Amino acid sequence: MSNETWKPDVFENLFQNSPDPWNFESSSYEQQKLIRVLQCLPARPISFAVELGCAIGVGTLALAQYCQRIVGIDTSETALAIAKTRCAQQKHISFIKAFLPEAYPDLDVSGCDLVLVSEFLYFLSPVDIQRLAAHVTKSLKSEGSILIVNWTGSTDTPCTGDEAAECFIQACQERHWYLEHNECGEGYRIDRLVHFANS
């Protein structure tokens, strides 16, 4: 695989070939990782959260109990259709189809409290990771948090999980967001960033 960002049709084909290509519903790895992600959420109330790369909405639905409003974003129409069905009873969840980082939506003028980027960054080129960091930091309230999750095993994506995480963290630090929490699980890492003004 080249070091260029994966295109939307790659993801759409994956979800058309399988409704759950990464086994979000059945994988013990995914289930244990999700438990830890939820435990790493900021302690303060989350009125507005954004989930980048929400896929079929398994994590979105779990996140819903901690947030007053959630917007899930994905590039695959097929994945979003499944996510919408899964979360249909949760009226505080909505979804947007967008190819990131270039189509990062204008979410809310008042900013959001949390951006979750789970298992998504390493599909981007380093340049696009930096672009995404710029969008993410601009969309947050100064007291908000960024939570990133990355697979740390072998991969054929443009970056490894560790490379993607470090690239994103560095780009955020240049915009005055710093690493507040880091932990490594079995096959993944979780990093939480907050604004310097909130330290």
Side-chain angles (χ1 to χ4, degrees):
M1 184 66 68
S2 74
N3 61 357
E4 295 181 354
T5 295
W6 283 20
K7 301 302 182 186
D9 60 336
V10 176
F11 298 100
E12 182 60 22
N13 290 337
L14 281 168
F15 285 104
Q16 286 188 1
N17 291 330
S18 168
D20 190 6
W22 286 286
N23 298 315
F24 293 116
E25 295 179 321
S26 59
S27 163
S28 60
Y29 161 79
E30 292 293 343
Q31 292 165 1
Q32 292 301 314
K33 181 190 67 178
L34 181 56
I35 290 171
R36 283 304 303 153
V37 168
L38 297 175
Q39 291 171 343
C40 289
L41 292 174
R44 66 182 66 86
I46 304 170
S47 61
F48 179 23
V50 177
E51 182 187 13
L52 306 184
C54 64
I56 59 173
V58 173
T60 318
L61 187 59
L63 188 62
Q65 61 186 306
Y66 300 92
C67 309
Q68 295 178 13
R69 176 188 172 201
I70 306 173
V71 174
I73 301 173
D74 205 276
T75 190
S76 167
E77 192 74 54
T78 299
L80 287 173
I82 297 170
K84 289 174 183 177
T85 299
R86 183 187 309 280
C87 301
Q89 300 304 312
Q90 304 295 323
K91 302 306 180 185
H92 62 305
I93 301 176
S94 59
F95 295 95
I96 296 174
K97 182 179 183 293
F99 179 54
L100 304 174
E102 63 187 51
Y104 196 96
D106 184 11
L107 296 163
D108 194 316
V109 291
S110 63
C112 54
D113 302 283
L114 172 71
V115 175
L116 172 62
V117 193
S118 182
E119 304 278 14
F120 166 66
L121 286 176
Y122 45 77
F123 294 116
L124 305 180
S125 68
V127 170
D128 278 344
I129 291 172
Q130 294 167 358
R131 290 173 178 159
L132 184 69
H135 287 299
V136 167
T137 53
K138 287 178 183 176
S139 69
L140 280 153
K141 297 177 181 176
S142 62
E143 65 269 25
S145 301
I146 305 168
L147 197 61
I148 64 172
V149 189
N150 285 281
W151 164 252
T152 54
S154 60
T155 177
D156 62 352
T157 51
C159 300
T160 67
D162 284 317
E163 288 170 345
E166 296 302 328
C167 181
F168 185 87
I169 291 167
Q170 181 178 355
C172 288
Q173 287 175 338
E174 293 171 359
R175 294 165 174 83
H176 309 295
W177 291 74
Y178 81 101
L179 186 63
E180 179 189 47
H181 175 80
N182 164 265
E183 66 177 70
C184 294
E186 188 172 346
Y188 66 89
R189 61 182 284 175
I190 299 174
D191 301 276
R192 187 175 65 234
L193 296 97
V194 296
H195 195 265
F196 277 105
N198 197 41
S199 60

